[in-house]
Amino acid sequence: MKKMKVAVVTGASSGIGKEFAVQLSRQGWTVWLLARRKELLEKVCIELNNSFEESAFYAVCDVSNKNQIREVTTNIIETHDHIDLLIANAGIGEKVTIENFKTSPIEKLYRVNIFGVLNMIEYCLPHMLLRKSGQIAAISSLAAYKSFPGMHPYCATKSALNSHMEGLQLELSSHNIFVTTLCPGFVRTAMTKNNKFPMLFL
């Protein structure tokens, strides 16, 4: 019996992450949805299982919490024996102005946008290396290439993320593990709905 491909998607309760889960389910993947908001996760999971085969699962998980990630990934491996695809999509944005410049929101951005991705890779990569197979996709941003007033900490996290993923791509190519970094522009999601400025190429 052929094993179904297993994907893990973080930030899957809404926006880009939810859409990835929908598209993967439509293509016959087993999909694990990870995010912090249980009610939204459960709702998305029910929608997927009603529309497609019973192949969607969810787990409440904060990507900045390594203990939660360890527990979730251990459960996934014990259940399915493998992870074929990690989509590290969870991310946050926060404005930091010069009038109220503090490092605490910047630290939070780094914990989620960079270490959140690296934490997921830490617990998924060993299983991919053992199987000599897998793909890791990180959702970065065009903001990685251009900084903006008030948003430079967010832009910096995406720039750093690109650098991490490029290095991993070069290292992992010989192990049959593919690394993809996606850099979209503005996307209509909960994160961007309160923006007061014109969003180019929305």
Side-chain angles (χ1 to χ4, degrees), residues 44-78:
V44 174
C45 197
I46 291 172
E47 289 175 0
L48 293 178
N49 285 328
N50 285 340
S51 300
F52 310 103
E53 294 183 13
E54 295 285 326
S55 58
F57 305 85
Y58 76 90
V60 176
C61 183
D62 182 342
V63 295
S64 65
N65 187 320
K66 294 183 72 171
N67 289 330
Q68 290 184 12
I69 294 171
R70 183 190 301 112
E71 182 178 343
V72 169
T73 52
T74 297
N75 183 34
I76 294 171
I77 293 297
E78 288 178 348

Side-chain angles (χ1 to χ4, degrees), residues 126-200:
H127 304 288
M128 294 180 177
L129 287 170
L130 282 173
R131 298 179 70 237
K132 294 183 171 56
S133 176
Q135 182 168 8
I136 299 169
I139 311 306
S140 182
S141 169
L142 284 179
Y145 302 101
K146 179 67 177 178
S147 196
F148 300 93
M151 293 300 293
H152 60 89
Y154 171 82
C155 299
T157 63
K158 295 303 185 178
S159 180
L161 178 59
N162 282 13
S163 186
H164 282 294
M165 299 308 289
E166 182 180 2
L168 285 169
Q169 180 184 32
L170 295 171
E171 285 191 79
L172 291 173
S173 59
S174 61
H175 295 270
N176 197 40
I177 298 172
F178 299 92
V179 176
T180 305
T181 309
L182 302 176
C183 296
F186 289 107
V187 180
R188 195 186 304 280
T189 66
M191 185 185 293
T192 61
K193 70 178 182 179
N194 293 322
N195 287 350
K196 304 300 182 184
F197 53 87
M199 293 181 280
L200 297 176

Side-chain angles (χ1 to χ4, degrees), residues 87-125:
I87 299 182
N89 165 73
I92 59 173
E94 190 163 348
K95 195 170 185 179
V96 181
T97 65
I98 55 173
E99 291 80 13
N100 189 31
F101 190 89
K102 297 182 184 300
T103 58
S104 53
I106 299 175
E107 289 175 0
K108 184 179 180 182
L109 284 164
Y110 275 74
R111 281 198 306 271
V112 176
N113 293 356
I114 298 177
F115 286 101
V117 175
L118 299 180
N119 288 339
M120 289 300 305
I121 293 173
E122 178 179 343
Y123 288 100
C124 292
L125 180 57

